[in-house]
């Protein structure tokens, strides 16, 4: 495998030094990063524009699963039931919180007149798989059961996962396919973690880059899966790339940068959906690394990526059930 790395988009490279973003996912680093990020943004920050009402709720089920905190953000002044972007934040399933990058997701939702539900799922390593996935399922079940009171349409829910949240959204979609209810209208997986095995060509090609590199990716999966990581014991709902059958999934948007560890597993997952007769839209952005559009928001590549997501959402939400 060639060690030559594809070029990073020059506009984004001018905005951030990728080598300075090296992440060593030790327990100490995770605690420090969580503490530093916990205060921002506040709910007042998110409510500042007045475009959404934002309420905190706690989801629980009759089965006695753990209570799950979530934010329900509904377009201010909306009449009737609105579609839902069911948002699962990034952070490798070891960091992050329900308010992380929520300002961007609210921008998307505003464009398509949708509500946003953001889930405060439990994090590894304190809560390994399946804790986070069970939280996501609990919260979604609660949302659909309370859809009338929340003013949302349970038939028009799009799962939206970033990075580690993409692993959860993909795993949740597989679980829901097998349960048959509720059925999401679509799933949007942006730079998703899909495979714990860390054995695709970018694992060698991009080993010396900073940011979310192969070592970081491997560490995150080890925190989530423990001793099972990389073994046949890992279920597909934990690492969606392991699914033997990807038929019956909802329309799927998949996006990744060409200069990132997750590139080939995302491309392969899209190919397998097509081979199974499914609906997938794949974007591989040249020069993009993991989460590139959050580092170079004004770069043309970032604008293209965000426009592609919005266009897919518009088409998907316009599809009749």
């Amino acid at each position: 495998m060639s060690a030559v790395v594809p070029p990073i988009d020059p506009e984004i490279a001018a905005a951030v030094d990728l080598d300075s973003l090296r992440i060593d996912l030790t327990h100490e680093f995770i605690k420090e990063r969580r503490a530093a990020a916990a205060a921002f943004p506040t709910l007042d920050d998110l409510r500042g524009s007045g475009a959404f009402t934002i309420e905190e709720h706690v989801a629980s089920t009759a089965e006695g699963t753990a209570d799950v905190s979530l934010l329900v953000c509904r377009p201010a002044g909306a009449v009737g039931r609105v579609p839902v972007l069911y948002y699962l934040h990034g952070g490798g399933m070891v960091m992050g919180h329900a308010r992380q990058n929520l300002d961007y997701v609210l921008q998307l939702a505003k464009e398509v007149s949708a509500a946003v539900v953001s889930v405060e799922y439990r994090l590894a390593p304190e809560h390994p798989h399946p804790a986070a996935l069970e939280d996501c399922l609990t919260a979604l079940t609660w949302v659909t059961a309370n859809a009338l009171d929340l003013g949302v349409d349970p038939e028009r829910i799009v799962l939206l996962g970033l990075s580690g949240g993409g692993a959860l959204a993909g795993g949740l979609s597989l679980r829901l396919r097998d349960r048959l209810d509720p059925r999401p209208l679509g799933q949007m997986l942006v730079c998703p973690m899909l495979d714990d095995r860390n054995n695709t060509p970018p694992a060698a090609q991009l080993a010396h880059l900073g940011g979310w590199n192969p070592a970081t990716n491997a560490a995150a999966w080890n925190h989530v899966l423990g001793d099972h990581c990389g073994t046949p014991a890992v279920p597909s709902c934990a690492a969606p790339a392991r699914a033997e059958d990807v038929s019956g999934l909802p329309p799927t948007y998949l996006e990744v940068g060409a200069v990132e560890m997750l590139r080939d597993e995302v491309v392969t997952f899209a190919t397998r959906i097509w081979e199974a007769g499914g609906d997938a839209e794949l974007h591989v952005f040249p020069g993009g690394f993991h989460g590139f559009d959050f580092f170079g928001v004004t770069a043309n590549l970032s604008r293209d990526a965000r426009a592609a997501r919005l266009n897919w959402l518009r088409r998907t939400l316009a599809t009749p059930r």
Side-chain angles (χ1 to χ4, degrees):
M1 168 54 61
S2 170
V4 177
V5 177
I8 295 173
D9 178 81
E11 279 189 283
I12 297 175
V16 60
D17 176 11
L18 191 55
D19 286 336
S20 70
L21 300 178
R22 293 191 175 276
I23 303 169
D24 185 6
L25 280 185
T26 63
H27 289 246
E28 292 74 19
F29 178 89
I30 291 170
K31 289 178 181 178
E32 291 172 2
R33 182 63 64 91
R34 287 179 188 173
F40 303 102
T42 67
L43 290 183
D44 286 341
D45 292 334
L46 294 168
R47 294 185 180 117
S49 69
F52 288 83
T53 62
I54 302 179
E55 297 179 346
E56 297 179 90
H57 291 272
V58 175
S60 59
T61 65
E63 289 77 14
T65 55
D67 290 345
V68 183
S69 297
L70 63 154
L71 299 175
V72 177
C73 315
R74 194 170 185 278
V79 177
R81 297 194 186 192
V82 296
V84 178
L85 306 187
Y86 189 76
Y87 172 54
L88 306 176
H89 66 79
M93 296 174 280
V94 299
M95 300 179 291
H97 50 74
R99 289 169 280 118
Q100 178 175 297
N101 296 326
L102 183 55
D103 52 348
Y104 166 62
V105 179
L106 290 174
Q107 291 174 23
L108 272 179
K110 184 178 179 181
E111 293 291 337
V112 293
S113 301
V116 175
V117 172
S118 185
V119 183
E120 197 72 82
Y121 57 82
R122 286 172 291 174
L123 300 172
E126 298 91 336
H127 304 285
H129 177 79
L133 186 62
E134 292 297 337
D135 289 351
C136 296
L137 182 57
T138 293
L140 183 60
T141 302
W142 181 88
V143 167
T144 57
N146 293 275
L148 182 60
D149 291 338
L150 297 173
V152 300
D153 186 348
E155 297 295 317
R156 301 175 71 207
I157 297 176
V158 174
L159 309 181
L160 169 54
L162 306 183
S163 188
L168 295 170
L172 182 60
S173 186
L174 288 164
R175 285 280 298 270
L176 295 173
R177 177 199 63 183
D178 297 336
R179 284 167 44 116
L180 301 180
D181 183 64
R183 297 301 300 270
L185 186 64
Q187 60 173 340
M188 174 175 281
L189 311 181
V190 178
C191 56
M193 295 168 60
L194 299 177
D195 198 333
D196 62 294
R197 290 165 290 194
N198 225 42
N199 60 359
T200 58
Q205 184 184 28
L206 307 178
H208 300 295
L209 283 186
W212 196 264
N213 63 22
T216 310
N217 192 57
W221 277 116
N222 274 285
H223 286 311
V224 173
L225 299 173
D227 292 339
H228 293 305
C229 186
T231 74
V234 175
S236 60
C237 62
R242 288 178 173 269
E244 295 182 3
D245 178 10
V246 296
S247 64
L249 294 177
T252 301
Y253 176 96
L254 286 157
E255 177 195 310
V256 72
V259 195
E260 77 159 291
M261 165 63 211
L262 308 177
R263 181 191 66 214
D264 289 15
E265 63 197 60
V266 172
V267 172
T268 299
F269 196 68
T271 301
R272 293 185 59 215
I273 291 175
W274 294 324
E275 291 172 345
D279 180 345
E281 178 170 320
L282 171 66
H283 292 267
V284 181
F285 285 100
F289 54 83
H290 193 73
F292 64 89
D293 63 299
F294 291 99
F295 294 95
V297 176
T298 61
N300 286 312
L301 190 71
S302 301
R303 294 177 187 272
D304 289 347
R306 294 188 169 197
R309 297 168 201 162
L310 180 57
N311 289 336
W312 180 87
L313 273 175
R314 283 178 171 146
R315 293 196 309 273
T316 300
L317 290 172
T319 303
R321 291 304 295 254

